[in-house]
Amino acid sequence: MSLLEIRNLHVTVGENEILKGIDLTVNAGEVHSIMGPNGSGKSTLAQVLARRDAYHVTEGSILFEGKDLLEMKPEEAACEGLFLAFQYPVEIPGIGNTYFLRSALNAQRKHRGLDEMDAMDFLPLFREKLKLLEMDDKLMNRSLNEGFSGGEKKRNEILQMAVLEPKLAILDETDSGLDIDALRIVAAGVNSLRSPERAMVVVTHYQRLLNYIVPDFVHVLVDGRIVRSGGKDLALELEEKGYGWTEHDTRQPVGARA
Amino acid sequence: MSTDMNVVHELASRDYEWGFVTDIEEDRIPKGLSEDVIRLISAKKKEPEFMLEWRLNAYRYWASQEKADAEPKWANVQFPPINYQGITYYSAPKQKKQLTSLDELDPEILRTYEKLGIPLAEQKLLANVAVDAVFDSVSVATTFKAKLAEAGVIFCSFSEAVLKHPELVKKYLGSVVPHTDNFYAALNAAVFSDGSFVYVPKGVRCPMELSTYFRINAAETGQFERTLIVAEEGAYVSYLEGCTAPMRDENQLHAAVVELVALDNAQIRYSTVQNWYPGDKNGKGGIYNFVTKRGKCLGRNSKISWTQVETGSAITWKYPSCILQGDNSVGEFYSVALTNNYQQADTGTKMIHLGKNTKSTIVSKGISAGHGQNTYRGMVKIMKGATGARNYTQCDSLLIGDKCGAHTFPYIEVKNASARMEHEAATSKIGEDQLFYLQQRGLKTEDAVSMIVNGFCKQVFKELPMEFAVEAQKLLAVSLEGSVG
Ligand SMILES: Nc1ncnc2c1ncn2[C@@H]1O[C@H](COP(=O)(O)OP(=O)(O)O)[C@@H](O)[C@H]1O
Ligand SMILES: [Mg+2]
């Protein structure tokens, strides 16, 4: 059974159809990259997978470990092991980063029938992940993402992912707003989480990130359709020729190998 | 509209946990209000002559006000006229004789407080909190009296203070809130039945938190308690009140008065966790909480802080205030007011700056959910002599759903040009994006909402004594439960 199976997915926002029939299969252990121009629907796909409500699925199906993802609430999908690193992480005043993350972890552990972790047990784990992402402890005493720079927010997303250890991580433009050092750190964090049990879908606008996080598959999303799929070389080809090049091909989208 | 937000919309709150009725024998007087009733109350309490005179004076003033239809109507709340002759003004649990120890207290009453999570047996108490328990019209027990007496602190029921410390009562009663202050204050002065009295002598730091738990039990009665706290030079005291009532279809009137007096270098912290029965989901029943609370910073460098968490009552009408008379005195007001379902709250503060270099801080956090209406009403007055006065006001509103409302009425009056005033205000809605973010990490909608709400209130919670901060957080969570189901 595949970890994620998207079949003929159509999604509208308000009046507009944004995704126009997506097919995608992701197996455990794989890293897929979804590339495409701005406005092509990458974030829409990511948010639908995370079960955001503003997006209406009009046709198609999504199975996550064989279960109907479209039946799940966002928190259920999260507890089942689906994680979204947001393109624009929100700020929430008054909620401490550490407290928040421990609460989230415990909500997920509870769902899986595990004991909750108290602050003492949590701290060493948390410290280790902070170190992995070369993040300052002090940042963690602040409110959730409040006053964080763009780069710090993105790093915080990956920190959360490292603590929550999801089965499927969707990274939405985690590279945007990062300088090259931060990019390297974030990529190292992501790579350390690669494992045969875990899959990742890395959404990006630029090929740059894929030098650090090398994908097994690359899909090109244009105007709500996957117009081309291939191996990691496809990203390089894209970089060279631009997205315009793929648009000639929209008649015959190629699905990912299952 | 997304389901997340739908969820936020359905504000069917969970049942009020504290709504049970205790079955005990009551000693109650007939309904209605007259000079005879005042005399009866005073006689029941075996009060000295001066108290009766004081009450009658207040009653005559109130009666003239009632005749003139002078019940305040300016607050942003709505309710049908109150029939003051339909209320019972005195109801007390029947006690066979004067209590000498807690063991003699009616076990039903003891059980009531235990059910409320307020054990009165001293060995079971939180180590450092002394409790006065007021049941309907009278104080039924005060704990740790002996230990407090060692430090010279007087902590007893108001009735006892009238009998045992009449000079202190005479000196301070009505000195901060005179009976002419307002309609409800006049009513309270006429009929008040009990409450707490605290006196901390010169230079004494009260060795423990003091607290009073008010419980309305009897039907068709009003509760009119009166609290007076005096901190002499250099004294310090932290006081907390909590309150609950059974669920009843009728509206019950609670009109309390609290007076605080701080002399030179004295400090009083007064915290309230107000959890009167708020009425049901459709707005039936609930307490009318019409309360006058005021502190006077009489001495130099004195400080009075009000911290309140208001989650209960059908209607709240309450403005804990500070008169900053002594030079360099400090007044603070930290408030969280939550209205859910059909609750209405019109609350805020008054800071009256009289002395030089006086300073006041106002932090108000209003949360509205369901059809709740939440009004902040605040006045900052800088008088002529208050050179170098400063005020900081922050008032924030958080809306949950779109059927509720938040309103702010800040009044500012400055008569001294050296005053420095800062005002910040913000209204926000619990954002769908914030909720989604927390849910995406695995938190249930309800937990996500309560996390956001607690975050919003953090500035106020940190002013509460530790144990009560935890209690307040839980209370908010319960009060909002179902608002997102
Ligand atoms: N919440 C929304 N409301 C209205 N339009 C939206 C919303 N989200 C996305 N869209 C539209 O859907 C299209 C795809 O957006 P998005 O998925 O964010 O693209 P990408 O992430 O590839 O840049 C855009 O035309 C965008 O304007
Ligand atoms: Mg995007």
Side-chain angles (χ1 to χ4, degrees), chain A residues 184-195:
Chain A
R184 213 173 278 143
I185 294 165
V186 163
V190 172
N191 284 328
S192 76
L193 288 164
R194 285 179 83 149
S195 89

Side-chain angles (χ1 to χ4, degrees), chain B residues 6-58:
Chain B
N6 276 338
V7 163
V8 169
H9 270 246
E10 276 165 39
L11 272 163
S13 70
R14 176 165 110 174
D15 293 342
Y16 183 75
E17 263 182 51
W18 306 268
F20 58 89
V21 178
T22 307
D23 188 14
I24 46 142
E25 257 191 281
E26 295 163 9
D27 169 17
R28 63 153 74 203
I29 63 172
K31 282 181 190 174
L33 195 50
S34 64
E35 287 207 11
D36 287 344
V37 167
I38 307 289
R39 284 177 204 282
L40 188 58
I41 293 173
S42 191
K44 278 201 176 288
K45 306 184 82 62
K46 304 190 175 62
E47 284 177 350
E49 189 59 26
F50 86 90
M51 263 325 306
L52 176 62
E53 282 311 311
W54 198 80
R55 287 177 182 279
L56 286 172
N57 210 11

